Amino acid sequence: MNDAIEQVLFSEKEMEEMITRIARDVDRDYADKKLVLLCILKGSVVFMGELMKKLDVPCEIDFMKVSSYGAGTTSSGNINISLDITRPDLDTCDILVVEDIIDSGRTLSYLTKYLLNKGAKSVKTCTMLDKPSRRVVDFKADYVGSEIEDLFVVGYGLDYAERYRDLPYVGVLKPEVYGG
Ligand code: IMP
Ligand code: MG
């Protein structure tokens, strides 16, 4: 285990089981749709890579880069789009937004409206992890890997100051890593 990790919340095997379960639900719901998985960079890259490998339904992929966080562990409250989805066929696409974790809910609440406004045929959301106790805006994802308590987690794409995204599990950082 990485020296900076205090506790493993979801092992590599547990992540695989979680993602297999989500893939079966998506297969069931998108059988006759034009599924476009929309990866929210950078945190969702590992989750989406694993999810797409497990899907049986055909899918296309696309990317957006959206941030509501600065360098630390608190949300700024502002949503900044630095890479947008640009496709002329958006009105025929059933978009499934793939997110790493929901905290305040601001990012996905904003993005869902943004994509519908932009003309997407349908928009649903899928998150690896969810911290319902942290909500600032009312938002519920359509597919949720697992709910967690109010803990700052890293790994499987999730970072602290751009580090630890490469860990193959989801873990809680040791307090001293935060500079304490
Ligand atoms: P929201 O808009 O407040 O829901 O913010 C969601 C975003 O905050 C996620 O996409 C992450 O980038 C970041 N975030 C929230 N909680 C964590 C965490 O525990 N670890 C790493 N990033 C987090
Ligand atoms: Mg993120």
Side-chain angles (χ1 to χ4, degrees):
M1 189 166 81
N2 187 292
D3 284 346
I5 300 300
E6 182 165 83
Q7 185 204 347
V8 173
L9 271 193
F10 299 98
S11 68
E12 197 166 359
K13 181 163 176 287
E14 287 169 327
M15 290 307 298
E16 210 210 313
E17 288 163 1
M18 176 196 290
I19 296 169
T20 301
R21 176 175 53 73
I22 296 174
R24 295 295 76 81
D25 289 346
V26 174
D27 278 341
R28 181 198 61 211
D29 297 346
Y30 283 85
D32 44 18
K33 298 205 153 75
K34 180 173 163 185
L35 173 60
V36 177
L37 298 177
L38 179 58
C39 179
I40 306 307
L41 296 170
K42 306 172 192 172
S44 306
V45 73
V46 179
F47 175 49
M48 186 162 121
E50 294 302 313
L51 178 64
M52 63 191 273
K53 287 194 290 181
K54 290 188 188 298
L55 290 176
D56 289 329
V57 288
C59 69
E60 296 182 21
I61 62 171
D62 228 306
F63 298 86
M64 279 182 80
K65 189 165 183 200
V66 180
S67 53
S68 67
Y69 264 67
T73 61
T74 49
S75 173
S76 69
N78 300 316
I79 311 296
N80 175 52
I81 296 178
S82 52
L83 174 70
D84 204 352
I85 180 174
T86 50
R87 42 190 304 161
D89 63 345
L90 195 65
D91 62 333
T92 66
C93 295
D94 295 298
I95 304 281
L96 182 58
V97 181
V98 181
E99 176 65 304
D100 50 4
I101 190 164
I102 308 179
D103 188 78
S104 70
R106 285 191 186 105
T107 305
L108 283 188
S109 163
Y110 176 86
L111 262 188
T112 303
K113 287 178 209 136
Y114 178 83
L115 291 164
L116 285 170
N117 234 339
K118 219 172 148 81
K121 184 176 178 196
S122 73
V123 180
K124 283 207 207 184
T125 55
C126 173
T127 190
M128 179 169 80
L129 299 174
D130 188 3
K131 297 191 226 181
S133 68
R134 297 263 307 168
R135 278 305 187 287
V136 173
V137 299
D138 189 28
F139 186 84
K140 235 172 136 12
D142 298 286
Y143 308 89
V144 178
S146 184
E147 293 189 351
I148 62 168
E149 285 169 45
D150 182 9
L151 292 166
F152 195 81
V153 291
V154 296
Y156 227 87
L158 290 159
D159 74 307
Y160 171 65
E162 293 299 328
R163 290 194 58 198
Y164 313 110
R165 294 191 195 276
D166 53 332
L167 299 179
Y169 50 82
V170 174
V172 183
L173 275 185
K174 286 181 183 161
E176 56 260 39
V177 180
Y178 293 94

PDB file of all heavy atoms in Angstrom, residues 114-127:
ATOM      1  N   TYR A 114     -26.620  22.168 -18.644  1.00  0.00           N
ATOM      2  CA  TYR A 114     -25.786  22.700 -19.733  1.00  0.00           C
ATOM      3  C   TYR A 114     -25.916  21.844 -20.990  1.00  0.00           C
ATOM      4  O   TYR A 114     -26.095  22.360 -22.097  1.00  0.00           O
ATOM      5  CB  TYR A 114     -24.332  22.750 -19.252  1.00  0.00           C
ATOM      6  CG  TYR A 114     -23.355  23.242 -20.294  1.00  0.00           C
ATOM      7  CD1 TYR A 114     -23.161  24.609 -20.497  1.00  0.00           C
ATOM      8  CD2 TYR A 114     -22.619  22.348 -21.062  1.00  0.00           C
ATOM      9  CE1 TYR A 114     -22.269  25.057 -21.457  1.00  0.00           C
ATOM     10  CE2 TYR A 114     -21.725  22.790 -22.024  1.00  0.00           C
ATOM     11  CZ  TYR A 114     -21.550  24.146 -22.217  1.00  0.00           C
ATOM     12  OH  TYR A 114     -20.667  24.583 -23.169  1.00  0.00           O
ATOM     13  N   LEU A 115     -25.841  20.515 -20.822  1.00  0.00           N
ATOM     14  CA  LEU A 115     -25.874  19.600 -21.974  1.00  0.00           C
ATOM     15  C   LEU A 115     -27.259  19.538 -22.611  1.00  0.00           C
ATOM     16  O   LEU A 115     -27.385  19.438 -23.832  1.00  0.00           O
ATOM     17  CB  LEU A 115     -25.404  18.202 -21.547  1.00  0.00           C
ATOM     18  CG  LEU A 115     -23.910  18.114 -21.197  1.00  0.00           C
ATOM     19  CD1 LEU A 115     -23.603  16.825 -20.426  1.00  0.00           C
ATOM     20  CD2 LEU A 115     -23.065  18.178 -22.475  1.00  0.00           C
ATOM     21  N   LEU A 116     -28.292  19.606 -21.794  1.00  0.00           N
ATOM     22  CA  LEU A 116     -29.657  19.610 -22.335  1.00  0.00           C
ATOM     23  C   LEU A 116     -29.896  20.896 -23.121  1.00  0.00           C
ATOM     24  O   LEU A 116     -30.455  20.895 -24.213  1.00  0.00           O
ATOM     25  CB  LEU A 116     -30.685  19.441 -21.223  1.00  0.00           C
ATOM     26  CG  LEU A 116     -30.800  18.017 -20.649  1.00  0.00           C
ATOM     27  CD1 LEU A 116     -31.667  17.999 -19.401  1.00  0.00           C
ATOM     28  CD2 LEU A 116     -31.346  17.042 -21.712  1.00  0.00           C
ATOM     29  N   ASN A 117     -29.413  21.993 -22.538  1.00  0.00           N
ATOM     30  CA  ASN A 117     -29.506  23.302 -23.176  1.00  0.00           C
ATOM     31  C   ASN A 117     -28.790  23.347 -24.516  1.00  0.00           C
ATOM     32  O   ASN A 117     -29.213  24.007 -25.457  1.00  0.00           O
ATOM     33  CB  ASN A 117     -28.809  24.323 -22.273  1.00  0.00           C
ATOM     34  CG  ASN A 117     -29.714  25.473 -21.956  1.00  0.00           C
ATOM     35  OD1 ASN A 117     -30.680  25.716 -22.694  1.00  0.00           O
ATOM     36  ND2 ASN A 117     -29.429  26.172 -20.875  1.00  0.00           N
ATOM     37  N   LYS A 118     -27.675  22.636 -24.570  1.00  0.00           N
ATOM     38  CA  LYS A 118     -26.840  22.569 -25.769  1.00  0.00           C
ATOM     39  C   LYS A 118     -27.464  21.665 -26.830  1.00  0.00           C
ATOM     40  O   LYS A 118     -26.980  21.598 -27.943  1.00  0.00           O
ATOM     41  CB  LYS A 118     -25.479  21.998 -25.353  1.00  0.00           C
ATOM     42  CG  LYS A 118     -24.276  22.609 -26.000  1.00  0.00           C
ATOM     43  CD  LYS A 118     -23.014  22.062 -25.337  1.00  0.00           C
ATOM     44  CE  LYS A 118     -21.860  21.966 -26.326  1.00  0.00           C
ATOM     45  NZ  LYS A 118     -21.162  23.218 -26.563  1.00  0.00           N
ATOM     46  N   GLY A 119     -28.535  20.917 -26.455  1.00  0.00           N
ATOM     47  CA  GLY A 119     -29.277  20.152 -27.448  1.00  0.00           C
ATOM     48  C   GLY A 119     -29.157  18.644 -27.392  1.00  0.00           C
ATOM     49  O   GLY A 119     -29.633  17.953 -28.286  1.00  0.00           O
ATOM     50  N   ALA A 120     -28.510  18.097 -26.348  1.00  0.00           N
ATOM     51  CA  ALA A 120     -28.392  16.634 -26.243  1.00  0.00           C
ATOM     52  C   ALA A 120     -29.778  16.000 -26.214  1.00  0.00           C
ATOM     53  O   ALA A 120     -30.716  16.547 -25.642  1.00  0.00           O
ATOM     54  CB  ALA A 120     -27.615  16.263 -24.985  1.00  0.00           C
ATOM     55  N   LYS A 121     -29.883  14.806 -26.836  1.00  0.00           N
ATOM     56  CA  LYS A 121     -31.173  14.120 -26.875  1.00  0.00           C
ATOM     57  C   LYS A 121     -31.609  13.709 -25.469  1.00  0.00           C
ATOM     58  O   LYS A 121     -32.768  13.878 -25.084  1.00  0.00           O
ATOM     59  CB  LYS A 121     -31.068  12.886 -27.772  1.00  0.00           C
ATOM     60  CG  LYS A 121     -32.390  12.183 -27.950  1.00  0.00           C
ATOM     61  CD  LYS A 121     -32.262  11.032 -28.926  1.00  0.00           C
ATOM     62  CE  LYS A 121     -33.586  10.303 -29.069  1.00  0.00           C
ATOM     63  NZ  LYS A 121     -33.380   8.992 -29.690  1.00  0.00           N
ATOM     64  N   SER A 122     -30.682  13.122 -24.705  1.00  0.00           N
ATOM     65  CA  SER A 122     -30.967  12.794 -23.308  1.00  0.00           C
ATOM     66  C   SER A 122     -29.668  12.882 -22.519  1.00  0.00           C
ATOM     67  O   SER A 122     -28.582  12.735 -23.078  1.00  0.00           O
ATOM     68  CB  SER A 122     -31.583  11.398 -23.178  1.00  0.00           C
ATOM     69  OG  SER A 122     -30.609  10.399 -23.392  1.00  0.00           O
ATOM     70  N   VAL A 123     -29.809  13.142 -21.227  1.00  0.00           N
ATOM     71  CA  VAL A 123     -28.633  13.239 -20.356  1.00  0.00           C
ATOM     72  C   VAL A 123     -28.905  12.501 -19.057  1.00  0.00           C
ATOM     73  O   VAL A 123     -29.889  12.792 -18.367  1.00  0.00           O
ATOM     74  CB  VAL A 123     -28.278  14.713 -20.023  1.00  0.00           C
ATOM     75  CG1 VAL A 123     -27.055  14.778 -19.105  1.00  0.00           C
ATOM     76  CG2 VAL A 123     -28.038  15.520 -21.287  1.00  0.00           C
ATOM     77  N   LYS A 124     -28.064  11.516 -18.765  1.00  0.00           N
ATOM     78  CA  LYS A 124     -28.102  10.848 -17.464  1.00  0.00           C
ATOM     79  C   LYS A 124     -26.711  10.921 -16.857  1.00  0.00           C
ATOM     80  O   LYS A 124     -25.738  11.230 -17.546  1.00  0.00           O
ATOM     81  CB  LYS A 124     -28.531   9.387 -17.617  1.00  0.00           C
ATOM     82  CG  LYS A 124     -30.025   9.193 -17.850  1.00  0.00           C
ATOM     83  CD  LYS A 124     -30.365   7.821 -17.319  1.00  0.00           C
ATOM     84  CE  LYS A 124     -31.532   7.160 -17.943  1.00  0.00           C
ATOM     85  NZ  LYS A 124     -31.779   5.875 -17.231  1.00  0.00           N
ATOM     86  N   THR A 125     -26.625  10.605 -15.578  1.00  0.00           N
ATOM     87  CA  THR A 125     -25.342  10.733 -14.887  1.00  0.00           C
ATOM     88  C   THR A 125     -24.977   9.455 -14.148  1.00  0.00           C
ATOM     89  O   THR A 125     -25.840   8.754 -13.618  1.00  0.00           O
ATOM     90  CB  THR A 125     -25.387  11.892 -13.870  1.00  0.00           C
ATOM     91  OG1 THR A 125     -26.489  11.688 -12.994  1.00  0.00           O
ATOM     92  CG2 THR A 125     -25.517  13.238 -14.557  1.00  0.00           C
ATOM     93  N   CYS A 126     -23.685   9.180 -14.130  1.00  0.00           N
ATOM     94  CA  CYS A 126     -23.150   7.987 -13.501  1.00  0.00           C
ATOM     95  C   CYS A 126     -21.943   8.399 -12.677  1.00  0.00           C
ATOM     96  O   CYS A 126     -21.026   9.015 -13.208  1.00  0.00           O
ATOM     97  CB  CYS A 126     -22.722   7.029 -14.612  1.00  0.00           C
ATOM     98  SG  CYS A 126     -21.858   5.572 -14.049  1.00  0.00           S
ATOM     99  N   THR A 127     -21.945   8.086 -11.398  1.00  0.00           N
ATOM    100  CA  THR A 127     -20.793   8.451 -10.570  1.00  0.00           C
ATOM    101  C   THR A 127     -20.231   7.226  -9.860  1.00  0.00           C
ATOM    102  O   THR A 127     -20.978   6.348  -9.432  1.00  0.00           O
ATOM    103  CB  THR A 127     -21.159   9.559  -9.549  1.00  0.00           C
ATOM    104  OG1 THR A 127     -19.952  10.041  -8.936  1.00  0.00           O
ATOM    105  CG2 THR A 127     -22.092   9.069  -8.456  1.00  0.00           C
TER     106      THR A 127
END
